[in-house]
Amino acid sequence: QVQLVESGGGSVQAGGSLRLSCVTSGYTGGSYFMAWFRQAPGKEREGVAGMLIGSGSRYYADSVKGRFTIYRDNVKNTVYLQMNSLKPEDTAMYSCAANQWAIRWSDPRQFRYWGQGTQVTVSS
């Protein structure tokens, strides 16, 4: 059974950095999609960053390009989201998600497995 466990959220001032972690277990096979989503109060869930495990392809929302980086530690089976130059508008609940494949990495409906989420709060 696939399980995802996030950690690393917290509160930070604008301009600061945080690194989110998503430990994955239960996935077999060489290729699958991992993505980070976020949801702020009153807003829809949006894709922040995604990657195709096994190929190295990475994808980012325009709002985070140049500030966020998604990467994976194969030994630790962990996907990270490094977030730099944080802005108050980045405040949200962040969740990692996994699926065997995805036509659109930013569509949450295409992901079957989800972590519990971790809160990120950026103050001005």
Side-chain angles (χ1 to χ4, degrees):
Q1 183 171 348
V2 177
Q3 290 186 327
L4 309 176
V5 179
E6 302 107 330
S7 62
S11 298
V12 65
Q13 289 190 329
S17 299
L18 284 173
R19 188 180 73 166
L20 306 183
S21 302
C22 177
V23 180
T24 63
S25 61
Y27 241 112
T28 59
S31 178
Y32 58 96
F33 263 95
M34 290 289 300
W36 285 95
F37 290 84
R38 67 185 181 188
Q39 188 168 22
K43 294 188 177 181
E44 292 186 354
R45 181 175 284 175
E46 64 169 339
V48 175
M51 69 182 300
L52 178 58
I53 305 297
S55 81
S57 298
R58 305 178 189 181
Y59 311 89
Y60 297 95
D62 288 343
S63 58
V64 305
K65 279 181 182 177
R67 300 189 298 122
F68 290 12
T69 302
I70 185 172
Y71 65 99
R72 182 175 185 258
D73 184 322
N74 293 331
V75 174
K76 296 181 178 180
N77 284 331
T78 301
V79 174
Y80 299 96
L81 184 67
Q82 177 66 46
M83 305 185 295
N84 299 328
S85 302
L86 282 161
K87 305 175 181 180
E89 51 262 45
D90 294 319
T91 295
M93 178 69 75
Y94 285 71
S95 301
C96 64
N99 202 58
Q100 195 67 45
W101 58 271
I103 296 175
R104 287 182 58 202
W105 71 268
S106 58
D107 184 351
R109 297 171 297 178
Q110 299 197 17
F111 287 82
R112 178 179 180 183
Y113 303 103
W114 291 82
Q116 81 284 359
T118 185
Q119 178 67 36
V120 171
T121 302
V122 184
S123 58
S124 57

